[in-house]
Amino acid sequence: ARVRNSLLSNGCVVRGQVDQSVLSPGVYVSPGAVVRESVIMNDTWIGPGAVLDRVVIDKEVVVGSGALVGFGDDWDVANREQPDRLNAGISVIGKNAHLPPNLRVGRNVLVNAGRDEDDYTAFGDHVPSGETV
């Protein structure tokens, strides 16, 4: 594990890398996973090889192996449904959402609460920046 400039609560297990982030109790970061400039709430599981960059994740979320969340250089593409709130390159994942393995999620993306792997089929393996699931 490697943790740098971060705040980890009791009960976190970090087997990957965490930089400039805040992790709540019960967060598990798998081997090879990277969490950068993010806030991760309670009981979230981040799969092996997943990369999170500038993401806010609510409670009890599952991020599949190899998923890339906060992907791309198109920081200025605001969310189509909430352009006044999601316009700074930060993606938001709602409570109990499940992100499938190897999914790529762009910047300023909102994944609503309770989404499961079937909810991403319209996007294939890439949710473009500025979209809402």
Side-chain angles (χ1 to χ4, degrees), residues 7-25:
L7 177 64
L8 276 61
S9 299
N10 288 338
C12 288
V13 176
V14 177
R15 305 247 188 257
Q17 177 180 329
V18 178
D19 293 320
Q20 299 179 346
S21 297
V22 177
L23 276 58
S24 296

Side-chain angles (χ1 to χ4, degrees), residues 40-116:
I40 314 297
M41 301 305 290
N42 303 49
D43 302 320
T44 291
W45 184 83
I46 301 166
V51 178
L52 282 60
D53 186 37
R54 296 182 56 109
V55 181
V56 176
I57 295 184
D58 204 346
K59 299 174 182 178
E60 301 170 3
V61 170
V62 174
V63 178
S65 304
L68 303 176
V69 185
F71 174 77
D73 294 329
D74 47 353
W75 300 78
D76 57 342
V77 176
N79 185 275
R80 291 190 311 162
E81 292 184 15
Q82 297 186 28
D84 55 327
R85 293 188 176 157
L86 288 173
N87 56 23
I90 298 171
S91 292
V92 178
I93 312 298
K95 184 177 181 179
N96 290 319
H98 288 234
L99 281 68
N102 302 312
L103 179 70
R104 291 182 300 150
V105 177
R107 306 274 180 192
N108 299 314
V109 170
L110 172 62
V111 175
N112 286 306
R115 297 295 182 231
D116 61 22

